[in-house]
Amino acid sequence: MRCSGISHAVSALVFNVVLPVALGFTAAFLFAASAALQRRAVLHAADSDSEHRASTHRLPVLWLFRRLLRQRVWLAGWLTNLGGFACQAAALHFGSVALVQPLLVTQLLFALPMASAAVRLWPPLRDWLAAIAITGGVALFLSVEGAAPMEGEPDRERLVIAVLVAALTILTLLQIAQRRRPFAYSALVATCAGICYAMSAAMMKLTADSLADEGVAATATDWPGYLLAVTTATGLVLGHQAYGSGSLSAAVAVMSTVNPCVSFTIGLLVFDTVPATEPGPLAAVAVAGVLLVAGAFGLAHSPAVRLETRSTATHGVYPIRGNV
């Protein structure tokens, strides 16, 4: 009887903790590998644009997508990304959101050496410390109760307002990014991509609930599913632009930070989530903020990140190449 109880406990530990953790780390690795492959494809497409026509546009990568679709590296990156989503879905099936979401942030730790390999410079200790600070800060924020708050019935009128605000914010940031230096340009575009992915998460929540409760026919006549396609596609384009015009590790860090912060804001405004007010969660959020600021400062002043940014500014999809 005792052996049976121990066996049951071990089985529960494996399926509820070990398996979701392994799948979560695998998903993070695949997402980082996908970003690295997509960045490589973008740089190759930019080099094949011998007349540099794409760089005269505000989002040069848009004018290179036809070239990207013909590249095996880009297709490999897309398939790798799908593998990451599959692992993430499996991890969420076996484990909780609170367990899986912080694990996905570790993609920055995988992206850092991949990005450094492109410039043949192993990340120094300060870069690892900065990446660990950002990863720890986001993971700590996501671990706070209510930080992933898109539960319950949303207020659709406020959701429409949130979508309009997000769209205006993205357009404003893209306008500000023009003629900025490569690092700032890439960071602002990555911020826009993070906003898109947060909106996609909200639309995914509504679409999944509609499919489960009302069926395919009702979902097909409702607008969140179509907006999900728009926000996902826009995030994909902006992500490619961020990867190809600056530093991969910096872009991943910005997206990993902006996404949960915007998701938290959507939860407060649209899903009527009540933020935690106890001293413990507030202290955790404060510590997470300090870690994020310290990590962002470290990556912004990293020689490896700056070298990578200069490389993509010259050979990538940074707009108005002559102003670099």
Side-chain angles (χ1 to χ4, degrees):
M1 192 74 177
R2 183 178 178 182
C3 291
S4 176
I6 294 175
S7 176
H8 180 73
V10 171
S11 178
L13 177 65
V14 169
F15 281 98
N16 295 332
V17 179
V18 177
L19 186 57
V21 167
L23 289 169
F25 279 128
T26 302
F29 172 78
L30 291 175
F31 285 141
S34 171
L37 290 170
Q38 290 169 353
R39 178 180 181 275
R40 181 179 173 185
V42 169
L43 297 182
H44 186 272
D47 284 339
S48 67
D49 181 19
S50 57
E51 297 181 2
H52 308 310
R53 292 182 178 179
S55 63
T56 62
H57 300 280
R58 292 174 181 269
L59 285 175
V61 75
L62 272 176
W63 306 92
L64 296 173
F65 252 93
R66 187 175 297 177
R67 299 171 187 262
L68 288 174
L69 293 175
R70 295 196 295 264
Q71 290 191 39
R72 292 182 179 179
V73 174
W74 185 84
L75 292 175
W78 181 247
L79 291 175
T80 303
N81 197 45
L82 290 179
F85 276 117
C87 288
Q88 179 185 5
L92 289 171
H93 174 73
F94 290 106
S96 65
V97 172
L99 174 64
V100 174
Q101 272 197 285
L103 297 176
L104 297 177
V105 185
T106 59
Q107 63 180 294
L108 174 58
L109 298 179
F110 294 116
L112 183 61
M114 293 178 186
S116 298
V119 293
R120 299 180 180 180
L121 178 65
W122 184 251
L125 178 60
R126 58 179 289 176
D127 288 14
W128 284 111
L129 293 176
I132 290 172
I134 293 174
T135 302
V138 177
L140 183 61
F141 174 76
L142 292 175
S143 299
V144 175
E145 185 178 356
M150 289 186 288
E151 299 292 340
E153 188 66 28
D155 185 320
R156 292 210 168 197
E157 291 184 2
R158 281 186 278 176
L159 181 59
V160 171
I161 295 174
V163 170
L164 293 175
V165 170
L168 289 174
T169 302
I170 290 172
L171 291 174
T172 302
L173 291 178
L174 289 178
Q175 182 63 32
I176 294 173
Q178 303 305 313
R179 297 183 182 275
R180 291 293 186 275
R181 292 185 178 275
F183 184 87
Y185 174 86
S186 176
L188 288 169
V189 174
T191 300
C192 296
I195 294 173
C196 286
Y197 291 140
M199 297 304 299
S200 293
M203 297 306 127
M204 191 179 299
K205 165 69 177 171
L206 266 65
T207 304
D209 289 349
S210 179
L211 279 172
D213 299 335
E214 302 176 20
V216 176
T219 304
T221 59
D222 204 4
W223 56 268
Y226 299 99
L227 192 56
L228 169 62
V230 172
T231 54
T232 302
T234 305
L236 175 69
V237 171
L238 293 173
H240 279 64
Q241 182 65 48
Y243 299 147
S245 59
S247 165
L248 173 63
S249 51
V252 171
V254 171
M255 292 182 202
S256 299
T257 303
V258 171
N259 188 342
C261 291
V262 175
S263 294
F264 179 72
T265 305
I266 293 173
L268 292 178
L269 299 179
V270 176
F271 288 85
D272 286 329
T273 299
V274 179
T277 57
E278 294 79 10
L282 291 177
V285 170
V287 173
V290 172
L291 289 173
L292 288 172
V293 171
F297 183 83
L299 277 188
H301 292 81
S302 162
V305 168
R306 290 187 175 276
L307 177 60
E308 184 190 1
T309 303
R310 285 197 297 269
S311 174
T312 50
T314 306
H315 303 288
V317 287
Y318 178 70
I320 318 177
R321 192 181 300 257
N323 289 348
V324 177

